[in-house]
Amino acid sequence: MEQYTQDIIAFIRKAFNNENSFIPLHAPHFGGNEKKYLSETIDSTFVSSVGEFVNRFEREIAAYTGAKHAVACVSGTNALHMALLVNDVQPNDEVLSQALTFIATANAISYCNAIPVFIDVDSDTMGMSPLKLKSFLEINAEKRGDGFTYNKTTGRRIKACVPMHTFGLPLRIDEVVSICDEWNIIVIEDAAESLGSYYKKRHTGRFGQVGIFSFNGNKTITCGGGGALITDDEELAKRAKHLTTQAKLPHAWRFTHDEIGYNYRMPNLNAALACAQLEQLESFLKDKRTLADSYHDFFEKEGVVQFVREIGHAKANYWLNVILFESTDAQTSFLKDTNENGVMTRPVWDLMNTLPMFKRCQHDELENSRWLADRAVNIPSSVRNKS
Ligand SMILES: *Cc1c(COP(=O)(O)O)cnc(C)c1O
């Protein structure tokens, strides 16, 4: 094992105050009212999709992010599916997104029978590159008489764009939005990983038409499984809520539905957990920043690998810390050595365009995406025990 790998393992073990046992990448932390709220929910019998905690969680997520409306869902993937549907993404439309993202982004696009197109990321933010987006559109797109933008090669309408704030690092979202505005393309932010991350003092997920978050077990706060979408548009929020509740029309006893809906509403049990976790978000963020700062200082001195920091104007939640190696060989050895020694690390996801379902999708050169995939490694980033 390389000396620097030994040093990094020692540093991580010290940071987590853990000499010998397994250190996960991101473990949930339950240090607040979780059990209290859960047992209140059980006592109330309102464990399913009607209940006070669901409404409360929606109000609180909206208030926290500064959005006018929030709709809680069973998962972040559902929330993204809903966000695309309520923005009228139709079968055979194209949706611009990233090759470097978690599979959920491309899956949600596919649930609408729309077709993802993969745009490169910036190497510093690891999120969608406004420059690459602009040049993709200039080369491949044309605006037609109906006001929409079409892909000149495929003839399909380019309806939406889903940039993703990778690992909670804010991307240059204002630039992405202004390019999309010029082309009349709707922006839906996949902010699944970036609760608590800001760009130019505005919460991520609030730049596009709709933003979505995930509260899966490995995210900054968790409710077991869950998601939410946020928007300032009341009509979109109403329609999302309608679609997540089987498109049932409100009535005291009748079951009438006016379109094909989904069973996507977050259950009250999960919302109880979510409310308890949200109360601790600020303290989680503080601890994560302290850890990120100490990683930054350590890697700066150590000098072999580069620790990825937020860019100017951005405030990251540091959901998952990420380091970059000089070569794929160094990356591979590090992944092997750390995982064999009980310190969990992992590379970024396989790029979407390399997967069998998406390998025929159009993409640009993906130069930075490939560069990052060959070098990036996530290192342990859990909130540490403070109670
Ligand atoms: C976690 C995540 C989602 C949503 O995941 P769920 O597990 O469905 O809540 C979506 N996009 C990205 C980038 C994610 O990391």
Side-chain angles (χ1 to χ4, degrees):
M1 202 193 308
E2 299 283 353
Q3 182 59 47
Y4 68 79
T5 303
Q6 288 180 37
D7 295 345
I8 296 170
I9 290 176
F11 182 80
I12 293 172
R13 289 207 167 276
K14 193 154 155 272
F16 285 90
N17 194 16
N18 179 336
E19 295 286 318
N20 310 302
S21 55
F22 177 70
I23 302 181
L25 202 58
H26 202 282
H29 181 80
F30 302 112
N33 286 319
E34 286 88 352
K35 286 183 181 165
K36 178 165 174 274
Y37 293 170
L38 279 173
S39 62
E40 275 175 37
T41 311
I42 292 165
D43 291 344
S44 78
T45 76
F46 285 91
V47 294
S48 204
S49 355
V50 173
E52 249 333 288
F53 281 115
V54 191
N55 300 331
R56 174 176 154 187
F57 185 57
E58 288 180 333
R59 279 196 308 274
E60 290 181 353
I61 277 289
Y64 180 78
T65 56
K68 290 211 177 95
H69 311 279
V71 178
C73 297
V74 167
S75 73
T77 312
N78 300 162
L80 191 51
H81 181 198
M82 285 299 99
L84 292 159
L85 278 188
V86 299
N87 279 293
D88 196 37
V89 171
Q90 297 279 342
N92 220 32
D93 276 343
E94 289 184 356
V95 177
L96 308 176
S97 190
Q98 301 173 193
L100 196 162
T101 185
F102 176 54
I103 191 72
T105 319
N107 279 344
I109 295 167
S110 307
Y111 299 161
C112 301
N113 293 308
I115 294 133
V117 172
F118 303 117
I119 306 295
D120 204 5
V121 296
D122 280 330
S123 54
D124 54 359
T125 67
M126 306 182 78
M128 188 178 280
S129 164
L131 273 178
K132 299 291 181 78
L133 173 66
K134 190 165 185 281
S135 73
F136 178 88
L137 287 166
E138 277 165 5
I139 295 165
N140 297 287
E142 64 183 6
K143 218 162 160 181
R144 293 196 188 154
D146 62 1
F148 288 111
T149 288
Y150 288 79
N151 186 320
K152 286 193 278 192
T153 317
T154 62
R156 296 188 196 109
R157 181 171 74 157
I158 303 176
K159 177 68 184 171
C161 175
V162 186
M164 196 280 279
H165 301 280
T166 307
F167 306 134
L169 298 162
L171 65 100
R172 295 178 173 84
I173 186 67
D174 56 342
E175 295 178 43
V176 167
V177 169
S178 81
I179 294 162
C180 287
D181 281 351
E182 273 173 50
W183 290 90
N184 193 24
I185 293 169
I186 283 162
V187 176
I188 294 162
E189 281 174 82
D190 185 342
E193 305 180 353
S194 66
L195 186 69
S197 299
Y198 293 78
Y199 190 64
K200 298 190 174 166
K201 300 209 157 65
R202 193 176 169 93
H203 199 287
T204 52
R206 289 208 56 232
F207 290 80
Q209 246 339 72
V210 178
I212 73 101
F213 300 106
S214 165
F215 312 107
N216 191 25
N218 63 347
K219 295 287 174 15
T220 302
I221 63 166
T222 184
C223 61
L229 62 83
I230 56 165
T231 182
D232 284 347
D233 186 318
E234 191 180 355
E235 286 311 307
L236 288 186
K238 271 195 188 147
R239 195 160 138 67
K241 179 153 179 210
H242 185 59
L243 284 179
T244 58
T245 50
Q246 303 280 28
K248 182 182 179 297
L249 297 173
H251 192 280
W253 61 83
R254 246 177 234 295
F255 275 75
T256 311
H257 308 262
D258 62 352
E259 61 181 312
I260 293 173
Y262 298 84
N263 181 11
Y264 276 2
R265 186 149 181 84
M266 180 187 281
N268 206 35
L269 261 183
N270 299 81
L273 203 56
C275 287
Q277 287 268 288
L278 195 55
E279 290 171 349
Q280 300 160 78
L281 178 57
E282 283 313 308
S283 80
F284 289 3
L285 292 172
K286 208 167 148 236
D287 188 66
K288 292 175 85 61
R289 182 161 286 272
T290 307
L291 178 64
D293 287 344
S294 67
Y295 272 143
H296 170 84
D297 294 348
F298 169 78
F299 286 111
E300 205 168 55
K301 275 198 221 100
E302 181 270 343
V304 178
V305 299
Q306 188 198 332
F307 180 74
V308 181
R309 286 240 88 161
E310 62 212 351
I311 58 164
H313 304 296
K315 186 166 184 231
N317 63 3
Y318 289 108
W319 169 53
L320 288 186
N321 291 291
V322 50
I323 53 178
L324 302 175
F325 286 84
E326 271 169 10
S327 68
T328 312
D329 286 347
Q331 178 203 40
T332 308
S333 319
F334 182 80
L335 285 165
K336 185 167 175 289
D337 291 338
T338 44
N339 283 295
E340 279 175 4
N341 283 280
V343 172
M344 186 175 169
T345 59
R346 65 166 201 214
V348 296
W349 314 276
D350 281 3
L351 299 181
M352 294 301 111
N353 61 299
T354 67
L355 304 177
M357 327 65 101
F358 301 119
K359 67 170 187 248
R360 279 184 304 275
C361 296
Q362 193 180 5
H363 55 78
D364 65 9
E365 273 101 78
L366 302 175
E367 190 188 340
N368 296 329
S369 305
R370 293 186 225 269
W371 188 87
L372 286 163
D374 285 344
R375 285 167 183 78
V377 173
N378 288 127
I379 51 177
S381 304
S382 306
V383 171
R384 291 154 306 168
N385 274 315
K386 303 153 288 126
S387 40

